[in-house]
Amino acid sequence: MLGLQGMIDRMLKECDFATVPLDATEQLAKLPSGDVNAIAKLITLAELHVDKNNQDAAGLLEQVRAQASLIPVVGITGTGGAGKSSLTDELIRRFINELPDKKIAILSVDPTKQKTGGALLGDRIRMNSIFSANVYMRSLATRASKSELSLAIKDAVAVTKAAGFDMVIVETSGIGQGDAEIAEICDVSLYVMTSEFGAPSQLEKIDMIDFADLIVMNKCEWKGSEDALRQ
């Protein structure tokens, strides 16, 4: 008799295998056509490469980067609970309504809990506009990056750039005062915040305010939002 814990351990062990071979040359050939399975598997390969540092995977990802097109990358970041995912969803809705012949990819990063090692990947809970043939969404965990981004995010962006999308949105996990890594991987960065940042002097501590191209004051119906916008 295995018992409950034994059954759990056995199921976890049987599920613990790579779903993508480190040599994914076949997927690379399918990538320019926008094949969603190829996109998904190559992003997974990028995550596996972070963990395993495999030379075959490194060579394949180098080919992906060589195929990447010059398309705009929009970075959306901000404090946890500021409404980044809801804002992203609204931007996607307007994008597909105004530009129905264009394709968009969304890469959303969610924090990995240090204690359990798990990540909710809950950004898609807020997404109501992604159910379109022109929209691709992928969630990634921060894992061991110790920042608001996944260590595989640059390769994941390269995969979407090589897959024929017209724009890529990267949404980070919630950030603190000193995180501005998103500015290094995007062409246009949005910092999303609410009026609840504390005293005006706190604004001097938020590093992203110095780097963001646009600052979004979200949940502006909240009390104090007009004062916050002025400050």
Side-chain angles (χ1 to χ4, degrees), residues 25-42:
T25 309
E26 181 182 348
Q27 309 305 327
L28 184 62
K30 296 178 181 178
L31 188 60
S33 66
D35 184 287
V36 292
N37 288 322
I39 297 168
K41 289 180 178 180
L42 286 168

Side-chain angles (χ1 to χ4, degrees), residues 54-226:
N54 181 276
Q55 291 303 311
D56 291 336
L60 200 65
L61 292 170
E62 186 63 38
Q63 293 181 60
V64 170
R65 288 190 285 272
Q67 291 183 17
S69 302
L70 293 174
I71 62 170
V73 178
V74 177
I76 300 179
T77 191
T79 53
K84 298 184 296 296
S85 296
S86 298
L87 175 66
T88 302
D89 183 55
E90 180 63 19
L91 290 175
I92 295 164
R93 185 185 70 81
R94 297 189 185 203
F95 185 92
I96 60 179
N97 283 344
E98 296 293 331
L99 303 166
D101 58 332
K102 302 295 184 182
K103 297 172 65 179
I104 186 169
I106 307 103
L107 302 173
S108 293
V109 183
D110 235 23
T112 298
K113 298 185 75 172
Q114 292 188 35
K115 188 171 184 178
T116 64
L120 178 62
L121 302 181
D123 292 316
R124 62 185 61 238
I125 295 172
R126 308 292 183 200
M127 303 289 179
N128 300 302
S129 303
I130 61 174
F131 304 101
S132 165
N134 289 344
V135 178
Y136 174 82
M137 180 182 181
R138 171 66 178 253
S139 299
L140 298 92
T142 55
R143 298 191 178 184
S145 70
K146 299 187 183 301
S147 78
E148 73 273 21
L149 291 169
S150 163
L151 291 173
I153 193 64
K154 289 184 179 180
D155 284 326
V157 169
V159 170
T160 54
K161 280 187 168 185
F165 290 100
D166 298 288
M167 187 171 79
V168 179
I169 290 178
V170 177
E171 180 196 350
T172 76
S173 60
I175 68 169
Q177 292 176 328
D179 300 309
E181 286 191 26
I182 187 67
E184 298 177 10
I185 66 162
C186 67
D187 301 298
V188 178
S189 59
L190 280 70
Y191 179 68
V192 186
M193 62 188 298
T194 68
S195 59
E196 295 186 328
F197 53 78
S201 60
Q202 294 296 324
L203 294 173
E204 297 297 328
K205 303 178 184 180
I206 301 174
D207 206 21
M208 193 60 201
I209 284 181
D210 296 329
F211 292 93
D213 297 295
L214 297 167
I215 297 175
V216 178
M217 181 67 69
N218 209 11
K219 304 182 182 181
C220 57
E221 73 279 6
W222 287 7
K223 183 179 179 180
S225 290
E226 290 185 5

